[in-house]
Amino acid sequence: MAPKFEWWAKGNNNRKGTPVVVKMENPNNWSMVELESPSDQDFLISSSSPRDKKSRNKNARQLTWVLLLKAHRAAGCLTSLGSALITLGTAVRRRIAAGHTDTETSKLSTRKSKMFYSCLKVFLWLSLILLAFEIAAYFKGWHFGTSKLQLQFIFTTPFGVKGFFDWVYTRWVLLRVEYLAPPLQFLANGCIVLFLVQTLDRLILCLGCFWIRFKKIKPVLKPDAISDLESGGKGCFLPMVLVQIPMCNEKEVYQQSIAAVCNLDWPKNKILIQILDDSDDPITQSLIKEEVHKWQNQGARIVYRHRVNREGYKAGNLKSAMNCSYVKDYEFVAIFDADFQPLPDFLKKTIPHFKNNEELGLVQARWSFVNKEENLLTRLQNINLAFHFEVEQQVNSVFLNFFGFNGTAGVWRIKALEDSGGWLERTTVEDMDIAVRAHLHGWKFIFLNDVECQCELPESYEAYRKQQHRWHSGPMQLFRLCLPAVIKSKISIGKKFNLIFLFFLLRKLILPFYSFTLFCIILPMTMFVPEAELPAWVVCYIPATMSFLNILPAPKSFPFIVPYLLFENTMSVTKFNAMVSGLFQLGSAYEWVVTKKSGRSSEGDLASLVEKETSKTKHQRGVSAPETEVEKKAEKMKKTKKKKKKHNRIYMKELSLAFLLLTAATRSLLSAQGIHFYFLLFQGISFLLVGLDLIGEQVE
C-alpha cells in the first residue's frame, strides 16, 4: 500500500492539495492558475480503473507544462541578463565618450592633492611592466608552482650559458628574496595583526548587542517621568525646548523638515524653531523665507536666521544661533539636518529621559531611511549604518554611556553644551568634537534604538564619496587636537583607553589603514613578490566573517553580503586618503561639502500638499481655483531643478586601482593561486564599476 502523505497535507487526509490549471496557447502566451497536486489515490498501483489512468495522464501532462513554464522563465532571465549586459556596455561607452572625470570639479588642484593619485599610477605602470616580465619568464621555462622558489636553479646554472634575459631575471629574483620580500612580509604580518584585532573588536560588539537583546536592556525612564507621560496633564515635565535646523542650499528637502518640526507635539508656548540658513543662492533663500512665513501665519513659533558669511560651516552656524539672547530661556535644544523628518511624538519620547537625571547631556535617536532600496549604493550604505546604530552606538550607550553624536536627530541639554565649551569650528566633525568634550566633562549619553527619525541616503557615488571623505578626515583632525586634553582629563584610565585606542585609533585610523594597505597594496604586490605570502584565511575567511558580523543587524541584506565585502574594500581608497589628509593637515581635510539630497520624499509631500490645497480651494469656491502659492512654489522648484546639470563621472583613483588589481590577478594565474586570483579578479571588477560610476544614481 502506498504511504500516506500527512507531511504534504498537514494532517488533513481529505485534502487533495491545491488545484492548479495551466493554460498555454503558444510558448509566448501562457498563464498558470492552479495545478492539482497528487492525492493518495494517484500513487496506488492499480490498472482496474480507466478513470485513474486518465487522471494520472492528465497530471503528467500538467506537470510537463509546469516544467516547460519554468524553462520559459529561465530563458527569460537569460534574455534579461543579456540585455542588462548590453545596457551596461552602452553606459560604459557613453561614460568614456563623455570624458567627465572627478578631477574636473576638484577645488583642490594643489600638488599635495595629486600626490596620492600619482603614487597609484606609478604602482600601476610598475605592475604592468612586471607582468610583461613575468609572462616572458614563464614562457622561457621559469615555472614556479608555489611561492617557495627553488633557488638551486639560480645558483647551479653557469652564468655564461644564460642569455641576457635569464641574467636579468636571476638578478630580479635575488633582489626579491633578499631586499623586497622581508619588509613586505613584515608589513603584511603587521596588517594581519591589526586585522585580527579589528575582527575581535567587531565580535565583542556583536556579543554585546546580542546580550542587550537577550536581556532586553534599554534606557529606562524614571518612575515620575513615566507617570508624567501617562497623565499628560498639568504639572508634567514640559521644559522649554529650542529646535534648530541648519541648512545650506538644500532646496530639495527644506519643506519636509520645516513641516515636520512645526508639527511636533509640544506646547506652542514652550518651543521655538530656528531655521538657520547658510544658503548663498537667492532663490533658495526666498523659498525658505516663504515657507517660514507660511508656518508663522499658521501659529507656529518659528524664526528665520541667515548668515552672510558662512564661516565655520555648520559649527559656525550653530554657534551663531546659540549666541541669541533668548536662548537663555531654554533648557534643551533639538537639532535636525535639513533632510530629517521627526515624528510628532519625537520630543515626548526623548525629553522625559532628562527628568531627574542631571548627569544626562544627550539623547540620540536612530536614523531610518526613506530611500534605502533605491539602488545598490543605498542598500550597501544601509548595511553600514544599521551596524553603526544597532551595534556600535547601542552597545557603547549601554555599557559606557558614551558614543559619538551623529550631528542630528538628537536632544542636548544646553547646560552640557555650555559646560563643554560650545560649538567649535576647528574641525569638520563638530558633532564628534562636542561629544568628546562633553564626555571629558563627565556628561552621560543615551541612545534610543526604538526612536527613529526619517532621512535620506546619498544616491550618487559622488555625494557619498564626499560625505565619507569628511567623515573620515574630521576624526583625525579631532584626534590630533584633543589627545592632550584626553590624557590630562580626570576620567578613569579605562575611559581614556576606550577613547584613545578603541574610539579613535582602532575604529577611525586602523580600519581604513589596514583595509587599503592589506587588500589594495600588499596583496597585489605579493603576486609579483611571491616570497612574501598572505594566507588564504586572511584573503577569504576573515573578511567573510567581518562582512557577516556587519550584516547581522540588517538580515534582509544577506543577499548583498559579497557586494558589500567588495564595496567596503573599494571605499577604503577614499577613507584612507581622507584619514591621511586629516592626520597630516593636508588641504582637503578642511573641505566641507554639503551632501546632495534628492528630495524624493519632499517631492511626494509637495505634490500631495498641492493636491490637498487645490481640492480645498475648489471646495470653498465651488469653481476651478486659480494657481495657489504652493503651486507657484512647486513650479519654481522645478524650473531651478532643470537649470542644474548632473552627469556621472569617471573616478581616476578607483580606475587606477582596478587595473592594478586586475594586473595582479593575471599574474597570480602564473603561480596557480586560486583563492588569491578570484579575490583580486572580483575586487578589480568592483573598483572598475565604482571607477566608472556604475554603482549609484545613473544620470541619462
Side-chain angles (χ1 to χ4, degrees):
M1 185 175 178
K4 295 289 183 181
F5 288 87
E6 281 86 0
W7 59 273
W8 185 300
K10 303 290 183 184
N12 184 5
N13 294 332
N14 296 324
R15 183 179 173 186
K16 293 184 178 181
T18 304
V20 177
V21 177
V22 181
K23 298 179 181 180
M24 177 180 278
E25 297 175 0
N26 58 65
N28 297 320
N29 184 16
W30 56 272
S31 63
M32 182 170 66
V33 186
E34 289 178 333
L35 173 66
E36 186 175 340
S37 56
S39 64
D40 293 353
Q41 297 297 324
D42 293 331
F43 293 88
L44 293 176
I45 304 174
S46 173
S47 59
S48 58
S49 174
R51 185 177 178 182
D52 292 342
K53 287 183 179 180
K54 185 177 179 181
S55 177
R56 285 197 296 272
N57 292 335
K58 179 182 177 182
N59 285 338
R61 285 197 302 271
Q62 290 174 340
L63 186 60
T64 304
W65 283 119
V66 171
L67 293 175
L68 287 173
L69 293 179
K70 289 186 178 294
H72 186 274
R73 286 181 177 178
C77 290
L78 291 175
T79 306
S80 62
L81 181 62
S83 63
L85 290 174
I86 293 173
T87 305
L88 181 65
T90 306
V92 171
R93 182 176 55 81
R94 191 189 308 124
R95 197 72 33 86
I96 295 173
H100 298 294
T101 65
D102 57 330
T103 56
E104 291 178 358
T105 56
S106 177
K107 296 179 181 179
L108 302 167
S109 57
T110 60
R111 188 174 299 174
K112 288 183 179 179
S113 65
K114 294 182 179 179
M115 189 182 301
F116 185 61
Y117 175 50
S118 300
C119 291
L120 290 180
K121 285 197 294 185
V122 169
F123 269 111
L124 174 60
W125 284 109
L126 185 61
S127 66
L128 289 172
I129 294 169
L130 289 176
L131 177 63
F133 198 44
E134 294 287 348
I135 292 174
Y138 182 84
F139 285 107
K140 278 185 168 289
W142 293 74
H143 298 168
F144 302 110
T146 65
S147 59
K148 303 293 184 183
L149 295 174
Q150 297 178 356
L151 298 180
Q152 293 91 346
F153 177 77
I154 298 176
F155 295 114
T156 56
T157 305
F159 285 96
V161 180
K162 295 180 179 179
F164 176 75
F165 180 85
D166 291 333
W167 180 84
V168 172
Y169 192 77
T170 300
R171 291 293 175 267
W172 162 240
V173 172
L174 291 174
L175 176 67
R176 282 179 357 205
V177 172
E178 294 181 10
Y179 299 104
L180 298 182
L184 184 60
Q185 187 66 61
F186 177 79
L187 183 60
N189 292 339
C191 286
I192 291 172
V193 171
L194 297 177
F195 193 16
L196 293 175
V197 172
Q198 176 71 30
T199 306
L200 181 63
D201 175 59
R202 290 292 167 99
L203 183 59
I204 293 172
L205 286 173
C206 288
L207 290 175
C209 183
F210 172 77
W211 182 256
I212 291 171
R213 284 195 172 191
F214 179 71
K215 291 292 186 178
K216 297 181 180 178
I217 301 173
K218 62 179 183 179
V220 180
L221 291 170
K222 303 286 184 181
D224 47 356
I226 296 174
S227 61
D228 282 355
L229 284 176
E230 291 175 350
S231 63
K234 293 184 178 180
C236 294
F237 183 62
L238 296 171
M240 300 289 283
V241 179
L242 183 68
V243 179
Q244 296 178 333
I245 307 181
M247 56 180 66
C248 179
N249 296 326
E250 295 171 277
K251 57 179 174 289
E252 296 87 359
V253 293
Y254 72 94
Q255 280 186 311
Q256 63 188 33
S257 57
I258 294 176
V261 297
C262 287
N263 284 305
L264 286 171
D265 187 9
W266 203 255
K268 297 295 182 185
N269 62 333
K270 291 182 177 291
I271 186 173
L272 176 66
I273 301 165
Q274 288 181 318
I275 306 302
L276 311 177
D277 184 22
D278 266 5
S279 303
D280 54 9
D281 177 25
I283 296 177
T284 304
Q285 292 177 28
S286 63
L287 288 171
I288 297 173
K289 280 182 184 177
E290 287 177 19
E291 187 71 14
V292 170
H293 290 322
K294 185 190 82 172
W295 284 100
Q296 285 175 342
N297 295 333
Q298 293 182 14
R301 294 190 67 212
I302 183 171
V303 295
Y304 174 84
R305 285 178 54 85
H306 179 261
R307 291 196 311 162
V308 178
N309 184 6
R310 201 184 159 214
E311 184 181 354
Y313 303 114
K314 183 179 176 180
N317 199 357
L318 293 171
K319 182 179 179 180
S320 172
M322 293 300 292
N323 289 332
C324 295
S325 58
Y326 52 78
V327 172
K328 66 179 184 297
D329 299 327
Y330 294 84
E331 189 175 353
F332 302 100
V333 56
I335 302 172
F336 301 98
D337 281 349
D339 60 316
F340 277 71
Q341 307 167 60
L343 294 175
D345 61 352
F346 180 87
L347 293 179
K348 289 194 171 181
K349 287 185 176 180
T350 53
I351 294 293
H353 288 275
F354 288 98
K355 186 173 184 181
N356 296 331
N357 194 355
E358 297 300 323
E359 294 181 340
L360 184 61
L362 167 68
V363 174
Q364 174 71 61
R366 178 174 178 159
W367 302 356
S368 61
F369 310 105
V370 296
N371 60 338
K372 63 183 179 182
E373 297 181 354
E374 184 61 32
N375 54 42
L376 180 58
L377 179 61
T378 57
R379 289 177 185 273
L380 299 178
Q381 290 179 67
N382 180 56
I383 295 172
N384 256 343
L385 290 170
F387 182 87
H388 172 68
F389 292 117
E390 184 86 15
V391 180
E392 286 183 340
Q393 293 215 306
Q394 186 172 211
V395 170
N396 286 314
S397 170
V398 170
F399 294 105
L400 298 173
N401 294 120
F402 167 71
F403 50 85
F405 174 46
N406 297 322
T408 177
V411 182
W412 276 95
R413 189 189 295 271
I414 293 180
K415 183 181 176 183
L417 290 177
E418 294 172 347
D419 185 41
S420 306
W423 299 103
L424 297 182
E425 306 158 3
R426 55 183 182 173
T427 70
T428 57
V429 283
E430 72 296 323
D431 44 9
M432 186 181 293
D433 188 358
I434 188 66
V436 170
R437 286 184 282 117
H439 180 58
L440 295 179
H441 282 79
W443 292 98
K444 295 181 179 180
F445 304 162
I446 283 179
F447 175 75
L448 301 179
N449 194 49
D450 55 348
V451 179
E452 296 185 353
C453 192
Q454 270 196 343
C455 63
E456 281 189 19
L457 289 167
E459 294 182 9
S460 68
Y461 179 68
E462 179 184 13
Y464 180 63
R465 190 171 180 250
K466 290 177 179 178
Q467 181 197 68
Q468 292 301 303
H469 187 279
R470 177 164 52 88
W471 284 5
H472 285 82
S473 65
M476 291 299 97
Q477 299 172 0
L478 181 61
F479 178 65
R480 284 187 306 96
L481 294 170
C482 73
L483 182 59
V486 174
I487 295 173
K488 295 176 184 177
S489 66
K490 297 179 181 180
I491 60 175
S492 65
I493 296 177
K495 289 183 177 180
K496 288 182 181 180
F497 174 82
N498 170 70
L499 200 57
I500 295 174
F501 181 73
L502 295 179
F503 185 76
F504 278 115
L505 291 180
L506 187 60
R507 296 167 191 163
K508 303 296 188 295
L509 188 147
I510 291 176
L511 178 59
F513 171 77
Y514 85 74
S515 183
F516 173 75
T517 308
L518 188 62
F519 296 112
C520 301
I521 300 297
I522 295 177
L523 180 58
M525 288 181 68
T526 56
M527 298 299 103
F528 298 101
V529 186
E531 295 78 16
E533 292 183 275
L534 275 182
W537 59 268
V538 174
V539 178
C540 180
Y541 303 121
I542 298 296
T545 303
M546 286 275 286
S547 299
F548 178 78
L549 293 176
N550 282 7
I551 215 166
L552 281 176
K556 292 183 179 179
S557 302
F558 266 103
F560 301 95
I561 187 168
V562 174
Y564 172 73
L565 167 63
L566 298 174
F567 180 69
E568 279 302 289
N569 288 335
T570 304
M571 282 304 299
S572 66
V573 60
T574 298
K575 296 175 181 178
F576 178 83
N577 189 24
M579 182 266 293
V580 171
S581 64
L583 196 61
F584 297 104
Q585 304 183 60
L586 302 183
S588 60
Y590 296 94
E591 182 183 17
W592 179 288
V593 180
V594 177
T595 305
K596 293 180 182 178
K597 315 294 191 309
S598 63
R600 292 185 181 276
S601 54
S602 64
E603 287 174 5
D605 294 341
L606 185 59
S608 62
L609 187 62
V610 170
E611 185 179 352
K612 183 179 178 182
E613 189 159 322
T614 305
S615 61
K616 182 179 177 182
T617 311
K618 286 182 180 179
H619 178 71
Q620 289 176 348
R621 300 186 180 185
V623 293
S624 178
E627 195 177 45
T628 64
E629 184 182 348
V630 181
E631 286 174 314
K632 290 178 181 178
K633 194 179 296 183
E635 191 64 30
K636 202 173 184 181
M637 282 180 66
K638 286 180 182 177
K639 287 180 180 178
T640 56
K641 238 180 183 180
K642 287 179 182 177
K643 291 178 183 178
K644 193 174 182 181
K645 278 192 174 182
K646 292 171 65 179
H647 44 73
N648 295 101
R649 303 186 182 279
I650 296 174
Y651 296 95
M652 303 306 295
K653 294 187 185 75
E654 286 82 351
L655 214 55
S656 300
L657 275 169
F659 291 121
L660 172 63
L661 292 169
L662 292 174
T663 304
T666 307
R667 170 62 183 87
S668 71
L669 288 176
L670 304 180
S671 302
Q673 299 186 17
I675 193 68
H676 296 74
F677 165 73
Y678 288 114
F679 186 90
L680 288 166
L681 175 65
F682 290 118
Q683 192 63 68
I685 292 173
S686 175
F687 268 103
L688 189 63
L689 293 175
V690 172
L692 293 172
D693 201 4
L694 297 170
I695 191 174
E697 180 186 20
Q698 299 302 301
V699 182
E700 293 295 334

